[in-house]
């Protein structure tokens, strides 16, 4: 018997026992596929967790490293015939690993403290960091450093990471979306979650999402200051912080919308976040104040594609614009949330868009949260595999519904010198809504702009100064 | 260990606890044993070399593929070397003139099926784990699948084998010729030998032309014997369907609970039937099968009109195992098999045994070839219930033998069925097997303690 019980010890044993080690997860696991070694497979990892829960093994360094070698892509959960809750096992195991301090060292501790425990629990500081990064990029410092090869002086790891630095937008979501926006005719009332990193680097996607929701007669409530959903914390062994993030997000949306009861749905447009956001009910089940509200939250939480297909996607009547698009599935959208058809239906609804399926569309791209930072080698392998499949489709655009994937794919395509764009399906739909219809083409441009239903704030429908990004 | 490392390279030998625990089981419930080490040879020479080291050190060798076996066949023994062949996974040749494929043992069955399909051919054996099972494991266990009735089992598609024997000699058995009677058919000795006689390092597989068309029917029955009568009548009418799958009422309920596809909960039996071949023949057979099912008292018969509809009808059968696996903490999948004519009796008996021992037993399986899967829905932590499971299993196997059947149709004996084997074989056949084992593996190096004790 352990002096200090582990979370794995306290876990309902039937979750572990549910794995009947049939092996059907093996062919879907990217790490097993790469090494062919059982320890790098879901059933191998579960057997180690079970050995720990059975007291046959301690939380060792190798176990710790193994659990961080796992992408957490949850492809195994889709393949599993017995419905093993791998997501929970994964989070609990990483919590034990962090509590045991088995992987601790000064560099890792500092990075973890700075990111997981400091910046990503303070949205204002995150925005400040974003703002600083924006000025660094916008005023040419980044290009200067790159052009003068100053970056070549950086240690190799930093140099690689520098190439991945996303372009921060000039306006964040709160500058683009009012807290309450109403359509001419209101059929539904929905909350909109804008994310943390996405708020800084894909804020125009949040605007697009609001526009598309408005076009579907949804009144949109968007809290101005939102927290990270907490998936970063849950996936990195900080379940307590994850709970705190959940409580703050519930409270913030309640404040904007009056109460969760008022809402028909709570919308997430990021596959990874959505998967975690749907889990609030489980995460807060023992919280006396929040348990009931979390159940309500989870029941209403919908991925944006899922919600739009539920209420019926409206096809824009705009002039078709020919575009060959392939769809990359975010792991946590398809494996975590099991949302696979709605994004494709949405894409097919866009006039002129041709959807070409890529091989292995639901195979991880290697982004996996911060995996591309912690396991660059494996991440790069997966990225190359994904890019190969993308090229074969001949598509000019990859649709991706998760900011992590989009960043990873953009970085990979940029490195390869490819002109293929990465766009969220909802942004593609939003652009289609903004294109003039055939009738509008016959009337004057002035009339057209005054009629645009997306002109919410009296500026460019996107509210974003596009030329700024090109710096 | 140093010998193995110098032979294979450090990365191909696993010895740490965290690496060995994941190799201490296969897909069989409630069996665990940690091995001494795990090695990954990549050539036949390396396999022979590992056996030489094993002989010198008196370490038993347990051969393993993807570890999907359901009888504990690749369960490690104490301090053994697990010889894992998943890295010998090259497809060496696809010969569309002789309709054969030459493969290494670690090739995944699904890949063989896909490559054959791409060449307009069919590799018929389709065990449930084919997405990850290796062909070497399939041959060692002589795996079956859903198409047994019409197409047979793995044995029927193995034309030649390269085998490393316990003394490290390498032999090639069989040939590319359909007709070949030069000496004993020694390859057949190694097919289904569960890793106890030699190690398969290459296999020459037979392929057949891909049928042009396939059609699917689904029938439900209020009475078990009506379903059995339907199957008998179809066979008597000289139709050999490629699929004749069955679910009993416990399975139907579990499937409906899991999938909500609208199965009738008062049905006692469900039959999924498929026929393939020339379009004209297929259409004719489907019409007759539908008629026969109705004449024999089917409540409903659905005939798929498209590929999507076929897939929809097959959901019930395809999700049966998932549905059952979710229904309880421990799922024990058995494979008692009886002659087709005795199926109704056997199914009835399994239901009685379940009731008598207060156990949940769901039965589904391959009605066409008599291969049933009585599935025990239980919890390995409940010692009293596990004892009743053991007792019930004994009774089920005894009855299967009494009906002229067998204790295992496609999973193998391994460890799980070992104690039932003597009664199943009777006469001197077990002695003959022992004699063969002693001749081919005198030191008892290969997968000791599996199938029978020496």
């Amino acid at each position: 018997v352990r002096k200090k019980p582990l979370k794995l010890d306290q876990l309902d044993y039937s979750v572990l026992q549910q794995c009947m080690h049939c092996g059907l997860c093996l062919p879907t696991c990217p790490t097993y596929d790469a090494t062919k070694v059982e320890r790098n497979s879901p059933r191998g990892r579960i057997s180690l967790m079970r050995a720990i829960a059975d007291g046959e093994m301690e939380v060792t360094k190798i176990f710790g490293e193994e659990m961080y070698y796992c992408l957490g892509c949850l492809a195994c959960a889709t393949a599993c015939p017995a419905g093993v809750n791998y997501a929970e096992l994964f989070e609990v195991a990483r919590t034990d690993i962090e509590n045991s301090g088995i992987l601790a060292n000064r560099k890792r501790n500092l990075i973890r403290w700075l990111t997981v425990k400091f910046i990503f629990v303070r949205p204002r500081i995150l925005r400040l960091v974003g703002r600083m990064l924006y000025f660094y990029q916008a005023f040419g410092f980044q290009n200067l450093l790159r052009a003068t090869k100053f970056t070549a002086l950086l240690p190799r790891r930093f140099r690689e990471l520098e190439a991945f630095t996303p372009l921060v937008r000039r306006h964040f979501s709160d500058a683009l979306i009012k807290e309450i926006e109403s359509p001419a005719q209101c059929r539904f009332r929905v909350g909109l979650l804008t994310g943390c990193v996405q708020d800084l680097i894909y804020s125009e996607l949040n605007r697009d999402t609001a526009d598309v929701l408005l076009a579907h007669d949804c009144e949109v409530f968007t809290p101005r200051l939102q927290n990270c959903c907490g998936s970063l914390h849950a996936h990195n062994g900080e379940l307590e912080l994850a709970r705190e993030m959940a409580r703050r997000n519930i409270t913030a949306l309640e404040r904007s919308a009056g109460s969760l009861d008022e809402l028909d749905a709570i919308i997430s447009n990021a596959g990874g976040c959505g998967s975690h956001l749907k889990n609030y009910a489980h995460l807060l089940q023992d919280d006396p104040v929040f348990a009931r509200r979390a159940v309500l939250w989870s029941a209403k939480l919908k991925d944006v594609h899922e919600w739009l297909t539920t209420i019926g996607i409206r096809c824009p009547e705009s002039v078709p614009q020919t575009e060959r698009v392939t769809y990359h599935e975010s792991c946590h959208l398809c494996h975590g949330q099991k949302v696979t058809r709605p994004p494709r239906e949405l894409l097919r609804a866009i006039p002129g868009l041709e959807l070409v399926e890529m091989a292995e569309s639901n195979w991880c791209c290697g982004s996996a949260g911060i995996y591309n930072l912690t396991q660059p080698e494996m991440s790069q392998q997966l990225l190359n595999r994904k890019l190969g499949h993308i090229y074969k489709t001949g598509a000019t655009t990859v649709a991706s519904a998760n900011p992590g994937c989009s960043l990873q794919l953009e970085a990979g395509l940029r490195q390869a010198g490819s002109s293929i764009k990465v766009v969220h399906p909802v942004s593609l739909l939003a652009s289609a809504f903004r294109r003039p219809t055939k009738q509008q083409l016959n009337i004057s441009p002035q009339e057209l702009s005054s009629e645009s239903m997306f002109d919410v704030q009296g500026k460019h429908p996107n509210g974003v100064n596009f030329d700024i990004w090109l710096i | 260990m140093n010998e193995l490392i110098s032979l294979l390279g450090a990365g191909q030998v696993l010895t740490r606890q965290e690496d060995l625990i994941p190799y201490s089981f296969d897909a069989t419930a409630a069996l665990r044993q940690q091995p001494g080490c795990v090695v990954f040879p990549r050539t036949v020479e390396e396999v022979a070399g590992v056996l030489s080291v094993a002989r010198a050190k008196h370490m038993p060798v347990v051969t393993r593929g993807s570890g999907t076996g359901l009888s504990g066949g690749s369960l490690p023994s104490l301090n053994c070397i697990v010889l894992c062949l998943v890295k010998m996974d090259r497809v060496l040749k696809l010969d569309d003139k002789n309709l054969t494929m030459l493969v290494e043992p670690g090739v995944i069955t699904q890949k063989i099926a896909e490559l054959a399909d791409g060449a307009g051919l069919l590799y018929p054996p389709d065990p449930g784990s084919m997405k990850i099972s290796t062909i070497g494991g399939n041959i060692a266990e002589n795996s079956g699948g859903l198409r047994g009735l019409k197409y047979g089992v793995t044995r029927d598609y193995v034309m030649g084998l390269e085998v490393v024997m316990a003394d490290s000699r390498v032999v090639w058995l069989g040939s590319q010729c359909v007709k070949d009677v030069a000496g004993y058919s020694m390859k057949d000795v190694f097919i289904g030998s569960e890793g106890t006689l030699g190690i398969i390092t290459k296999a020459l597989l037979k392929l057949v032309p891909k049928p042009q068309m396939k059609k699917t029917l689904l029938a439900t029955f209020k009475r078990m014997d009506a379903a059995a009568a339907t199957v008998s009548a179809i066979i008597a009418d000289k139709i050999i369907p490629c699929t004749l799958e069955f679910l009993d009422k416990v399975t139907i309920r579990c499937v409906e609970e899991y999938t909500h596809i609208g199965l009738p909960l008062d049905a006692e039996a469900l039959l999924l039937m498929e026929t393939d071949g020339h379009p004209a023949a297929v259409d004719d057979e489907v019409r007759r099968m539908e008629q026969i099912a109705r004449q024999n008292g089917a409540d409903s018969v659905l005939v798929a009109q498209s590929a999507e509809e076929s897939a929809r009808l097959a959901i019930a059968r395809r999700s049966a195992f998932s549905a059952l696996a979710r229904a309880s903490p421990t799922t024990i999948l058995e494979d008692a098999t009886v002659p087709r004519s005795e199926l109704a009796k056997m199914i009835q008996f399994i239901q009685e045994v379940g009731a008598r021992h207060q156990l949940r037993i769901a039965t589904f399986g391959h009605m066409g070839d008599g291969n049933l899967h009585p599935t025990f829905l239980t919890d390995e932590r409940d010692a009293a219930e596990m004892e009743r499971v053991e007792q019930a299993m004994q009774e089920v196997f005894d009855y299967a033998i009494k009906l002229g059947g067998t204790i295992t149709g496609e999973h193998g004996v391994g460890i799980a069925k070992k104690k039932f084997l003597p009664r199943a074989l009777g006469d001197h056949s077990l002695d003959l097997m022992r004699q063969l084992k002693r001749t081919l593996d005198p030191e008892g190096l290969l997968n000791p303690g599996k199938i029978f004790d020496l």
Side-chain angles (χ1 to χ4, degrees), chain A residues 17-18 21 38-39 43 60 81, chain B residues 18 23 26 64 66-67 325:
Chain A
Q17 208 188 358
Q18 195 61 33
H21 34 92
E38 286 273 357
R39 197 233 289 170
R43 78 168 168 181
T60 63
Chain B
E18 293 90 342
Y23 285 92
D26 62 6
R64 176 188 169 105
S66 291

Side-chain angles (χ1 to χ4, degrees), chain B residues 21 29 88 153 187 243 267 300 315 360 370 388 390 396 412 416 431:
Chain B
I21 287 173
M88 282 180 76
V153 296
K187 70 174 165 62
T243 310
S300 69
I315 287 176
R360 275 176 84 199
R388 296 204 304 278
E390 196 76 356
V396 167
D431 286 339

Side-chain angles (χ1 to χ4, degrees), chain A residues 13-14 17-18 20-24 26-27 32 35-39 43-44 47-48 50-51 54 56-57 60-63 80-83, chain B residues 14 16-19 21-23 25-28 32 40 64 66-68 86-87 89 129 131-132 321-322 325-326 328-330 379-381:
Chain A
Y13 193 75
S14 63
Q17 208 188 358
Q18 195 61 33
M20 51 185 182
H21 34 92
C22 64
L24 287 181
L26 301 183
Y32 177 79
T35 66
K36 301 279 187 280
V37 169
E38 286 273 357
R39 197 233 289 170
R43 78 168 168 181
S47 74
L48 292 178
R50 193 165 167 176
D54 287 343
E56 292 166 10
M57 196 182 113
T60 63
K61 187 153 184 267
I62 294 176
F63 175 69
C80 180
Chain B
L14 306 179
R16 288 187 294 214
Q17 183 195 19
E18 293 90 342
D19 276 315
I21 287 173
Y23 285 92
F25 50 82
D26 62 6
T28 317
R32 270 198 283 174
F40 297 92
R64 176 188 169 105
S66 291
T68 58
V86 293
K87 295 190 185 177
D89 62 347
S129 57
K131 279 186 189 158
I132 185 62
F321 184 49
S322 294
R326 278 155 212 258
S328 65
T330 306
D379 186 342
E380 61 187 291
R381 287 173 300 173

Side-chain angles (χ1 to χ4, degrees), chain B residues 22-38:
Chain B
Y23 285 92
S24 56
F25 50 82
D26 62 6
T28 317
L31 291 178
R32 270 198 283 174
Q33 173 64 53
Q34 206 168 306
C37 66
V38 181

Side-chain angles (χ1 to χ4, degrees), chain B residues 25-68:
Chain B
F25 50 82
D26 62 6
T28 317
L31 291 178
R32 270 198 283 174
Q33 173 64 53
Q34 206 168 306
C37 66
V38 181
V39 300
F40 297 92
R42 282 156 303 182
T43 63
V44 60
E45 292 78 21
E46 286 183 352
V47 172
V50 171
L51 287 185
S52 301
V53 175
R55 274 199 314 279
K57 304 285 171 192
H58 302 289
M59 285 179 85
V61 174
V62 177
T63 312
R64 176 188 169 105
S66 291
T68 58

